Amino acid sequence: MTATDPRPLIEAKAVTRVLPGVVPTVLVREVSLTVTGPSFVAITGPSGSGKSSLLYLLGLLDLPTTGEVVVGGRATSAMDEPERAMIRLSTLGFVFQFHFLLPEFSALHNVMLPMRALAALSDGEMRVRAEGLLDSLGLSGHGHKRPDQLSGGQRQRVAVARALANDPPLILADEPTGSLDSKASEQVFTILRDLVDRRGKTVIAVTHDLDLAARMDRRIQLVDGAVAADTGARTAVA
Amino acid sequence: MRLVFDIALTHVRARLRHTGVAVAGVATGVGFSVMMAALMQGSQDDFIRQLVNALPHISVTDERRSPPRQPAEEIFAAAQIHGLTPEARRRGIKNPLAIMAAVEAWVPGGVAPSVKVQAILRYASRDVGTSIIGIDPRREPNVSELVHQMRVGTLSALYRATNAIILGDRLAEKIGARVGANITVQTSEGANVNAQVVGLFHAGVRSIDEGTAYVLVRTGQILARQTGLVNELRMRVDDPLAARQVAERVERETGYKSVSWQEAHEDLLSTFVIRNVIMYTIVGAILLVASFGTYNIISTITHEKARDIAIMKSLGLPERTVRSIFVIEAALIGLAGGLAGFALGYLLCVALGSVEFKSPFMDANRIPLAYSAWHYLIAMAVALTSSVAAGFMPARKAARVHPVDIIRGAS
């Protein structure tokens, strides 16, 4: 715990997201939070409380109506789309409830995709790294299979490997175990837990499963788009 | 950029059925456009060729478009003459050799002198009015297709008998004459000559095949009862479409009436303008329909990929990259479809060209088809443009959407 980087990985400053419409819907209301790594953070709350919306805002997939998301010390609301895409590519990894792998590509190529987009490694290095990631997630020998040839749990692990492709410090997971049976879901949870404990990543996961949330380091509870409780934060522990 | 190509290729390869349908769709459009263009242009070219070859490109006769100026007009400024019957002149083009030499100096093509006489052919108690053209068999190939139109005998057979004559095949049929028959030729000048049929020709134009006969210039002059007479200069120009200009210049320089094939076929050519409009409308419509088909198929494929677009964007692939993937896919499909369409179009043309028609009224017994690289290039350009547009527009729309909107809807 002493190795904690005092600089926050990601910060939300009074972030509000309103979905425009005839009757505007407030998805996220004035949320401010700071996450420093490594940590396993759960965002919980009843359905419709804005958990996923908050995650998308943190992941720069969506733009806040007001407020500011700061990633690695850089404010993002004034950035243009290519810049935000670059931050997603290099410092954020995503795992969604549904695996969202590209159906035409093998597991290995799906994992290599973000690496190739970043183009920081040579082809050979990318392959080695992708294989290494799949191996470490218990998928050795499955690299050549396409997503439809894998089980749900395997797909989700490939998705985790893809999220780790460019070695981002922060993984954002949206109900990562939501579509899995209990065994596979336990497997994926363990992997995420290991990412925090062994690799020093920070994982922010949206979940409605309070048992899982209880096994994470910090729990942020949302009600109606606003933070209702924030327990277990490292600062509180320290 | 390699990544973009890889993804595009993988998409195209992984969905072979989709790709196949799209390529087939584009190919059908391109193929049929090519075929229609070949068909329309072919029939048009064939028609022109027949018109052009039926007559000499330009014929200069000893007539004048307006009667010669009368002395009264020279002296009295106000004199005007109506219904003038000019004094009978000695017939023939004056000094034909000098005119020919002058014309040959600048006309790109050939000139041949000839004698044209109206006569009555008499054989087996049948009389048929005919225009008889006295030609020089050695110069004739320079100005007409007669050499290639010979059905029986050759042009040089004209030298073989004293008064040899070559008849149009329909004319021969009409009077019942065959090669070797001796027929009587009578003219209004009172000449009465026995001629031997040495050949038959077929020009493919009824009026010519039914009413024209060829003799030697010398025989023609005997028939006209005027030695040394040349009353028509026939010309062939290298570019038939320039015949009108050449004819105008010859007329300006010599004063003799010179008629280009365009002038001779003015009525037919004016219907041609309409034919052209019809042709371009049809080919254009086919291209348009084909390009809509292309657009439909490719935009559907791209729409189906909206989720993949969102995924790639959420991973952090720039919008431009994602967009270019689909543009490249569309271009690949368009290109493959275009090339397949070339093959299809060519095969269709060959197939159409091999159909034979048997009709006593038609000369050409196969559908005339024009093979032109332009047809292929234009069809390909249209197919590629519509493919790329069909890939670009939906991809741009999908790439603009915030990935969340698609991810939210999917999960």
Side-chain angles (χ1 to χ4, degrees):
Chain A
M1 296 291 170
T2 47
T4 306
D5 185 354
R7 205 176 55 150
L9 263 175
I10 191 160
E11 276 179 282
K13 293 180 176 170
V15 167
T16 300
R17 172 75 167 104
V18 180
L19 206 60
V22 185
V23 184
T25 318
V26 180
L27 298 174
V28 174
R29 194 191 309 270
E30 295 280 326
V31 170
S32 296
L33 57 88
T34 305
V35 176
T36 48
S39 173
F40 199 172
V41 182
I43 299 176
T44 61
S47 57
S49 58
K51 313 182 288 277
S52 295
S53 301
L54 176 59
L55 193 79
Y56 298 147
L57 288 170
L58 293 176
L60 310 183
L61 291 177
D62 200 4
L63 279 177
T65 313
T66 60
E68 179 72 81
V69 176
V70 181
V71 179
R74 294 168 66 196
T76 57
S77 63
M79 287 181 178
D80 57 8
E81 184 50 37
E83 263 181 288
R84 277 198 294 273
M86 194 60 208
I87 290 188
R88 281 205 293 276
L89 191 60
S90 57
T91 62
L92 301 174
F94 287 92
V95 180
F96 298 99
Q97 174 176 9
F98 189 67
H99 61 83
F100 277 150
L101 298 172
L102 297 181
E104 292 91 355
F105 292 82
S106 69
L108 191 70
H109 279 104
N110 262 294
V111 177
M112 282 170 71
L113 185 68
M115 301 186 210
R116 298 186 63 184
L118 191 64
L121 300 175
S122 74
D123 281 7
E125 289 169 329
M126 287 184 205
R127 183 169 285 271
V128 169
R129 177 169 168 75
E131 274 166 355
L133 281 171
L134 287 174
D135 288 352
S136 72
L137 298 180
L139 287 167
S140 37
H142 294 292
H144 63 280
K145 291 186 182 168
R146 284 203 314 275
D148 56 0
Q149 295 165 317
L150 296 169
S151 73
Q154 288 171 326
R155 281 179 217 163
Q156 201 61 323
R157 278 182 280 158
V158 175
V160 173
R162 182 179 62 181
L164 292 169
N166 286 326
D167 202 17
L170 182 60
I171 307 285
L172 300 170
D174 186 9
E175 303 265 11
T177 61
S179 63
L180 302 177
D181 60 39
S182 54
K183 187 167 163 257
S185 121
E186 183 57 36
Q187 225 171 6
V188 170
F189 181 82
T190 312
I191 285 168
L192 293 177
R193 183 74 253 182
D194 276 1
L195 289 182
V196 179
D197 296 346
R198 303 225 179 119
R199 301 199 194 194
K201 306 280 182 202
T202 294
V203 175
I204 303 178
V206 163
T207 182
H208 62 270
D209 186 334
L210 292 177
D211 291 340
L212 282 183
R215 294 158 63 192
M216 299 187 198
D217 299 337
R218 176 182 173 187
R219 284 154 297 279
I220 296 164
Q221 203 194 351
L222 288 187
V223 175
D224 287 340
V227 178
D230 185 352
T231 56
R234 205 174 298 279
T235 43
V237 173
Chain B
M1 209 54 200
R2 259 197 51 217
L3 173 66
V4 172
F5 266 107
D6 272 6
I7 296 178
L9 271 177
T10 310
H11 274 169
V12 169
R13 266 207 308 266
R15 293 152 45 108
L16 268 183
R17 206 176 57 83
H18 270 91
T19 309
V21 169
V23 167
V26 179
T28 316
V30 170
F32 277 90
S33 312
V34 164
M35 183 200 78
M36 279 310 288
L39 206 55
M40 298 300 283
Q41 175 114 44
S43 75
Q44 183 137 333
D45 287 356
D46 186 63
F47 195 48
I48 293 240
R49 206 176 308 122
Q50 280 199 5
L51 281 187
V52 167
N53 292 337
L55 296 174
H57 294 172
I58 300 167
S59 104
V60 182
T61 56
D62 59 348
E63 292 161 39
R64 289 171 194 272
R65 286 199 195 259
S66 50
R69 280 174 77 79
Q70 299 299 308
E73 283 179 286
E74 304 284 337
I75 293 167
F76 306 110
Q80 200 179 20
I81 296 166
H82 279 291
L84 177 76
T85 309
E87 190 186 4
R89 291 175 292 114
R90 187 182 149 78
R91 298 202 50 205
I93 294 173
K94 276 181 204 152
N95 216 350
L97 291 176
I99 290 181
M100 271 170 61
V103 164
E104 255 172 353
W106 63 271
V107 170
V111 191
S114 55
V115 183
K116 200 170 184 179
V117 193
Q118 292 303 317
I120 292 172
L121 295 192
R122 200 163 268 177
Y123 181 69
S125 78
R126 256 170 290 199
D127 296 357
V128 178
T130 313
S131 55
I132 297 204
I133 301 171
I135 56 166
D136 179 348
R138 276 163 303 195
R139 297 192 79 130
E140 193 60 21
N142 299 337
V143 297
S144 80
E145 294 286 310
L146 188 59
V147 187
H148 308 294
Q149 290 167 349
M150 293 302 296
R151 282 289 156 90
V152 183
T154 56
L155 269 187
S156 55
L158 281 176
Y159 292 118
R160 227 172 275 155
T162 336
N163 286 320
I165 189 165
I166 293 174
L167 303 180
D169 58 350
R170 283 175 187 277
L171 175 61
E173 207 177 307
K174 216 156 135 191
I175 61 174
R178 265 175 289 177
V179 170
N182 274 304
I183 57 176
T184 309
V185 185
Q186 244 175 12
T187 62
S188 54
E189 269 78 28
N192 200 340
V193 169
N194 275 320
Q196 190 186 1
V197 179
V198 295
L200 302 177
F201 73 90
H202 178 83
V205 178
R206 202 187 179 104
S207 62
I208 292 175
D209 291 337
E210 225 168 38
T212 312
Y214 290 97
V215 295
L216 288 181
V217 171
R218 183 164 37 83
T219 316
Q221 289 166 344
I222 292 169
L223 287 170
R225 291 220 151 160
Q226 191 177 324
T227 36
L229 170 75
V230 168
N231 59 8
E232 189 180 26
L233 292 178
R234 296 185 302 148
M235 284 186 212
R236 159 159 289 229
V237 286
D238 295 343
D239 175 14
L241 297 177
R244 196 187 281 271
Q245 285 77 7
V246 173
E248 275 165 15
R249 186 167 160 193
V250 171
E251 183 159 334
R252 247 194 340 267
E253 290 184 359
T254 63
Y256 286 113
K257 181 177 178 182
S258 76
V259 177
S260 60
W261 66 271
Q262 287 109 318
E263 193 184 335
H265 294 299
E266 203 123 65
D267 47 343
L268 285 174
L269 282 177
S270 67
T271 64
F272 235 76
V273 176
I274 295 167
R275 250 182 81 100
N276 261 334
V277 171
I278 294 174
M279 175 178 111
Y280 289 126
T281 313
I282 291 177
V283 174
I286 285 181
L287 280 175
L288 191 71
V289 171
S291 68
F292 265 109
T294 307
Y295 188 95
N296 241 331
I297 294 167
I298 290 181
S299 68
T300 308
I301 288 184
T302 311
H303 270 302
E304 281 179 4
K305 285 276 165 215
R307 208 191 64 176
D308 285 18
I309 292 175
I311 296 172
M312 287 189 267
K313 268 192 77 179
S314 72
L315 291 179
L317 268 69
E319 210 172 295
R320 207 165 43 83
T321 310
V322 176
R323 219 169 40 214
S324 46
I325 288 170
F326 290 90
V327 171
I328 287 173
E329 270 177 48
L332 282 176
I333 290 174
L335 198 69
L339 291 177
F342 282 3
L344 177 68
Y346 184 76
L347 289 179
L348 280 172
C349 286
V350 169
L352 267 182
S354 68
V355 176
E356 223 172 317
F357 292 93
K358 289 242 161 42
S359 156
F361 306 107
M362 269 199 312
D363 220 22
N365 51 4
R366 285 176 200 279
I367 297 178
L369 290 158
Y371 294 90
S372 158
W374 280 110
H375 299 160
Y376 291 81
L377 288 180
I378 290 172
M380 174 65 105
V382 171
L384 266 186
T385 313
S386 59
S387 307
V388 168
F392 179 78
M393 305 231 258
R396 188 182 59 166
K397 214 175 116 203
R400 266 193 192 157
V401 172
H402 270 289
V404 186
D405 295 340
I406 293 168
I407 290 168
R408 249 195 214 119
S411 52

